[in-house]
Amino acid sequence: MNTSDTITAPASGTGGAITVIRISGPRAAGIADAVWKGKRPLAGAEPRKMFLGKVGADPTLAVCMKAPASYTGDDVVELQCHGGAVAADNVLRRLLAAGCRMAEPGEFTFRAFINGKLDLAQAEAVSDIVSSGSAAAFDLAQRQLAGALSARLNGLCDRVDALRSECEARLDFPDEELDFSPDVRLAAACAAVADDAKALLATREIGRQLREGVEAVIAGRPNAGKSSLLNRLLGYDRAIVSALPGTTRDTVEARTVLADIPVILTDTAGLRESADPVEKLGVERSRRSIAASQVTFGVIDATSGSGAEALDELRRSGAKNLIAVWNKADLVPGFVPPPADLPQVTVSAATGEGMESLIEAFARIIHAGRGTGPLPDAAVNARMAGLLEQAIAALKDAENRLAAGEHELAAADLAEASRRFGETVGRTTSPDLLDAVFHKFCIGK
Ligand code: GDP
């Protein structure tokens, strides 16, 4: 991507009352002046102050930011026009005719990276903030944008660079006796960096859960109350509740937040043998959803005598992290489920009774995946995790080389580890790496 021309794109969705159109680059104010008419021109106007003017006949507010004190680090002008596609189109067409280029997806943030306003971990945090599905996910992304994750990744990189310098210093004095003797101290230092990298790598799972959400499925026999439970967990009626068994024939998906974790909840067709071809397809789909989910809420009708069989069916369905949810407790006062070696809760989807215990059981499963304790300050994403794994492997090689006194080979392994750590934050980059980070962004970011 060219970084010296002037680019533009809507920085807000066009569906609201106002659309923000961002212009970034050396000619931002000049090009804005070609389309915007106010009392005074924007070139030379006081930065970060709103001015009222017009683009064509449409009243439009303008604000200027002077390089490097802007989001992108370029000169930036933001125009606020009326919402809706037509108003935005009117402004954009004029800007393009006046010499702007349409920004690629993620190009504003890419410029911020190139101009040293953000590193790659922070750039990814911008994307995470916009897509965050829970308050905890939002907090994590904010901390990442503020540099919490970058600080830890840079720390690992700096330590490896220091070890590499020490290692290379040995190579400068090949005649000295020290060469080719096992270097226990440096080997141990490599292992210590690797241990810290492993600790950071262990945040991958919670990072994935917060960024992408946990897939949870509601399964069980027809009429057990699966759709009622979905609606109760969502707080609104998403699925059809009916006294007729077999009404939910397809899977119904909805997003919610349970215990601070974004959750993609799927309500399934009831598991039962059926001659009806449509219902059969639904049951088949339920089985696939169960196989793909990380947590299964297995709903059992507490009023039916066949609870044990229903539970067995759920166990046989291949459900992972099964929670037995005994429903309709309001109809069986004092109900206690038969003992079983899995988490069990008693609820009423109708009255809401027992919902806290269900959410607690869910949280316990999710927490077990990463050990107990509060959410971490920083959590790596899949891209960083892949790089950390490579760096850890290179550190292990370096450790072995040092234990054998092979400083030259160890220095090469440490250079590899440094490259991988560096790629997490963008200290070292390649076109492929930048492409992988920024192609995930959408237009205007
Ligand atoms: P699904 O087929 O498993 O999705 O079950 P539904 O959610 O459609 O519920 C089946 C029937 O059970 C409906 O008539 C619901 O009103 C009723 N039902 C669901 N949960 C409860 C509950 O907790 N208490 C009572 N009393 N009725 C419930």
Side-chain angles (χ1 to χ4, degrees), residues 221-229 240-248 267-268 327-331 347-351:
R221 288 189 167 175
N223 254 10
K226 298 180 297 302
S227 302
S228 305
L229 181 68
I240 300 167
V241 171
S242 155
L244 281 178
T247 24
T248 307
D267 178 21
T268 60
N327 187 35
K328 309 195 187 180
D330 54 305
L331 299 179
V347 305
S348 164
T351 66

Side-chain angles (χ1 to χ4, degrees), residues 206-374:
I206 183 65
R208 198 184 62 75
Q209 288 167 348
L210 286 171
R211 289 187 183 94
E212 295 167 28
V214 171
E215 297 199 7
V217 65
I218 302 177
R221 288 189 167 175
N223 254 10
K226 298 180 297 302
S227 302
S228 305
L229 181 68
L230 175 79
N231 292 342
R232 174 60 65 180
L233 286 172
L234 295 180
Y236 63 90
D237 286 350
R238 170 73 177 81
I240 300 167
V241 171
S242 155
L244 281 178
T247 24
T248 307
R249 295 178 161 209
D250 203 352
T251 48
V252 175
E253 205 182 275
R255 286 182 168 267
T256 186
V257 177
L258 301 179
D260 261 352
I261 304 285
V263 178
I264 304 127
L265 258 183
T266 304
D267 178 21
T268 60
L271 292 172
R272 70 165 178 184
E273 298 308 322
S274 169
D276 177 351
V278 180
E279 196 179 346
K280 261 188 170 162
L281 274 177
V283 172
E284 186 45 43
R285 225 170 252 194
S286 309
R287 293 195 193 283
R288 279 206 300 273
S289 291
I290 291 169
S293 291
Q294 290 137 274
V295 177
T296 301
F297 295 113
V299 185
I300 306 164
D301 186 340
T303 65
S304 80
S306 55
E309 270 169 55
L311 187 54
D312 271 350
E313 249 165 40
L314 285 162
R315 286 180 192 275
R316 283 199 307 273
S317 68
K320 293 182 282 289
N321 292 318
L322 177 62
I323 300 172
V325 182
W326 296 83
N327 187 35
K328 309 195 187 180
D330 54 305
L331 299 179
V332 199
F335 176 81
V336 179
D341 57 349
L342 80 172
Q344 303 204 84
V345 293
T346 305
V347 305
S348 164
T351 66
E353 168 193 342
M355 282 300 142
E356 313 76 44
S357 62
L358 182 142
I359 291 168
E360 220 177 279
F362 170 82
R364 244 180 270 125
I365 285 175
I366 297 300
H367 280 247
R370 63 162 202 274
T372 50

Side-chain angles (χ1 to χ4, degrees), residues 382-400:
R383 182 187 71 83
M384 295 162 177
L387 291 167
L388 287 184
E389 278 173 343
Q390 292 174 32
I392 290 164
L395 282 168
K396 186 72 204 163
D397 289 344
E399 186 190 338
N400 293 336

